[in-house]
Amino acid sequence: MLLIAATALLSHWRRRPLQLATFILGLSLATALWSGIQAINTEARASYARAASMLHQSELMQLLPRNGNSIRQSTYARLRRAGWNVSPVIEGDHRFGNTRVRIIGIDPLTMPAKAGRFEAGGVSDLAAFMSEPGVLMVSQVTALKLEGHTQMQLRISSDMPEGAGFADIGIAERILEKRGELTRLVVAPEQRPDLPSLDMLAPDITIKPSGERPDVAQLTDSFHLNLTAFGFLAFAVGLFIVYATIGLAFEQRRATFRTLRSLGLSLSSLTLLLMAELLVLALLAGFIGVVIGYFVASLLLPGVAATLQGLYGASVPGTLSLRPEWWTTGLAIAVAGTIVSSAQSLWRVHRMPLLSSAQPRAWARASAMGVRIQVLGGLVLLFASAILATFGQGLAAGFAVLGSLLLGAALILPGVLSACLAVMQKHSSRALVTWFWADTRQQLPGLNLALMALLLALAANVGVGTMVSSFRLTFIDWLDQRLAAELYVTAREENEASRLRAWLPAHSTSVLPIWSVEGEVLGDRLQIFGAAADDRTYRDRWPLLLGTADVWDRVAMGQGALVNEQLWRRKGLAVGNDLTLPGGWEIPIVGVYSDYGNPKGQVIVGIDTLTTHYPNISKLRYGVRIPPADAPALRRLLTSEFGLPAENIIDQAALKRQSRAVFDQTFAVTGALNIFTLGIAGFAMFSSLLTLSGIRLPQLAPVWAMGIRRRDLALLEVLRTLVLWLATFAAAIPVGLALAWVLLSIVNVEAFGWRLPLRIFPMDWLILGLVALGAAILSVFLPLRRLSTIRPADLLTVFANER
Amino acid sequence: MLLSLRNVRKSYTTAEGRLEILKGIDLDLDGGESVALTGESGSGKSTLLHLVAGLDHADAGEIVSSGRSLATLDDRRRAEYRRTAVGLVFQHFNLIPSLDVGANISFHAKLAGRHDPAWERELVELLGVETLLARYPEQLSGGQQQRVAIGRTLAAKPPLVLADEPTGNLDEATGDIVLNIMLSLTKSTGAALLLVTHSTRLAQMLDRSVHLRGGRIA
Ligand SMILES: Nc1ncnc2c1ncn2[C@@H]1O[C@H](COP(=O)(O)OP(=O)(O)OP(=O)(O)O)[C@@H](O)[C@H]1O
Ligand SMILES: [Mg+2]
């Protein structure tokens, strides 16, 4: 019995291969995007963890300087003498030719074994490692870039992240010119009992516990959350397709269900059979989805890697490793999605009375009541979204605002469309026009889900597009202000720097030192910059968000500090607050400046104040002001007369170009995801239209019989699709703008710490509208061909058969 | 002569081979004349009506209706013929599901450019559907749908009314009433009526009766 029943049920799919394909494709696309994005996230997170454990020995406890830049050699010696098993590390950036490398100098003799996935190799190797010119352990890629730019022996290690290298601490000290200043101390896990406490031995040191999440991982959290949100949106849009096809497949088999039931198949067996069928299909789709997801991920990963590099300086390999847990999560999400989208259909089968008459399309004829409840639910969600936007706090609240806004808008869409169509119908008097609106309204239930999916995709496109374009415009304005100096020069070492300081003033309008120190402020490690605040450049160009005209005077006199927007928002600071800076001195905040593209907090003090409090800072970088026309000449002079390598000079235009490239790269992924989502929505529309075209004949045949040509009917079909697309598109614009507002004013503030003005780009909408139009025409093409090639004989069968 | 059929043939190709349904039909109708078409189930009555209504093409022979030879009409003229020169009450009603009863009744009349509200009100009353105007077809019984379908055809005042068992879903009394309405209305407008029925009793109420058997008018 079961076998016969199963055959009867499955024969449905054999007769409707297109429906089967739609189901499988919809589900696997949804799964693909979701699992692809999960793959990217896990890959990136794994790489942060790898890098942290490799470069920063993050599984071990560390000692960091509490104030200023470094730990003194004497502190280290004191700890060792007292019996503490600690190992010193010197860390810093160094430029080899054009390549900047993070050099980590370690002491192979005292470095705890546990910290070492690092192996210095045999004893002879150790000797080479520790003696001049030294060995630099780097990744394959970094080694290629460094070839010929250093005398150090390059050793390739597959474990090394890109752009970083291990060297002996003595060698690193020389290269980085650290003169006995240690960056941090690694504490070995095994220590003698009853050692004197660290507080007593070294009061100016803080302890960083082992196993903390790497900084990069925390910084990039919001980025990954964004990706996840996008993946989820695409998944939801895909589920609309699945829901619609399952609903249709169940409805079309109602008669079969009833026959099987009356032949003695128990309700539970029937439900079980259907669930088994769905499970098999879900697993198949999940399998395909994971495979597609792998390709999606490897397609997107280079872009994501570039983004992470540009935004956060996080290095992620551009290649993907296939992980076994992908299969399980991918299949699980496909099954979960199927369960969610089939629950209603299964429930209906469960409650189906044995004797009710077959009502084709009952599933699509959503009652007016249903629509009303849906609209009500949508309104509640929109209201909740507004409440959350006003009173909510945190990134999670921001995403909740986004979610309820999108879902709420999608839910009220059918009601709004239906009301609009009713109004149009009322106000038309010609028979064909009235019929057009009435008939369009009748198609709505079958198209609702597709239109909702389309609304989501279009709104996301408008919203994210507006956000990115607003951001871009603001960012470029800001760059123009912020990058004021015509040339930026970097000396190779301190001697050259002091020669530069002597040489430059005679050849330029003014010289702006770009010196900084890293330290702990309000519990975060951040950078403190010095500014030659009495220079006109700052007054004229520096983009201040808060602060009076005299702020630069006060900064120059050492009476005040400026903080960037991120720090100001995150710590809830106010102008007038006192800020305690590394070393324990205090200075009042006098202003706030915008600092886009920087994930971290930042402080600016007067340059003299900086050097007084931190005399040992490196003084290598300078901005040079000069009339723009003279910049190329100065550049030549700097290389020929002064002897600075060309790569140590960068002009404003090049810097802007680089920044813009980083920016554009950053949002390339977003663009790609947008297109994917739109593609899925287009597919949803296509499958719905195709489904409808199959049941349109009885609706069209009487109109044809009363003297409307097939050609005109086909044209009206196109027109109907276009009208619905356009209406949805029009609805998507306000929803998208609301979305952009939430992204700019809530999510960005929470995620990055900066708030951006919303700007409007109607041209972008036009382009999106055209793309949507193209998709509309594509989606209606096949269903239309079906309709326009109907033979009169097919239409006649409508009249000949009682349906 | 409003309608004349000469040697009209029609066959269908099916899985079992070629099926000859009409094997040379000759039939004439004058304006104002009403003719009953009888025949066994499957004898080709609906097929014949569809040919005359311009919904399908005859394989051979000639159909001339309101001065038009149907075989010579192109797609546009054929649509125009259906719109203005003929009205068909379908065996299965075929109302437009998205329009309410009122809109269904005036639909064909408006398309034909003969919308006449006063005439429509009268019809609605005569057919007894005045309380149903705001309902949708799916909310009607079979008999109610049938009356609406008749109203839709008559409202357009076509010169030729074709009706495929228009009283099949009505009880005898209502059926008689409806048939009488159709007869008096076609008479008063000078239209011709070709009506398919299984009932010899009903057939006798019409001017003339023809029987379809073996693909020919007997
Ligand atoms: N499209 C078609 N393809 C093949 N055969 C058809 C087609 N349409 C009708 N037929 C066949 O043609 C014959 C005549 O059909 P028709 O519908 O004209 O009969 P009818 O006289 O109206 O019958 P009834 O009284 O049952 O309505 C039937 O045998 C039917 O099966
Ligand atoms: Mg028939």
Side-chain angles (χ1 to χ4, degrees), chain A residues 442 704-707 796 799, chain B residues 56 82-83 92 94 98 152:
Chain A
Q442 193 188 307
W704 167 76
M706 279 179 272
L796 279 173
F799 308 127
Chain B
D56 207 353
R82 289 200 302 268
R83 216 165 38 239
H92 304 298
N94 294 106
S98 55
R152 176 175 68 183

Side-chain angles (χ1 to χ4, degrees), chain B residues 46 91 164-165:
Chain B
S46 296
Q91 190 168 3
D164 203 344
E165 289 190 61

Side-chain angles (χ1 to χ4, degrees), chain B residues 6-26:
Chain B
R6 288 288 166 272
N7 193 26
V8 170
R9 291 168 173 276
K10 180 72 184 173
S11 60
Y12 291 115
T13 334
T14 64
E16 298 98 59
R18 215 171 147 77
L19 209 62
E20 283 213 63
I21 308 296
L22 304 179
K23 301 175 180 164
I25 303 286
D26 295 308

Side-chain angles (χ1 to χ4, degrees), chain A residues 246-263:
Chain A
I246 291 183
L248 181 65
F250 273 54
E251 193 55 40
Q252 288 174 338
R253 288 188 292 181
R254 272 180 91 98
T256 317
F257 296 163
R258 197 169 295 112
T259 313
L260 289 174
R261 287 286 316 282
S262 54
L263 288 180

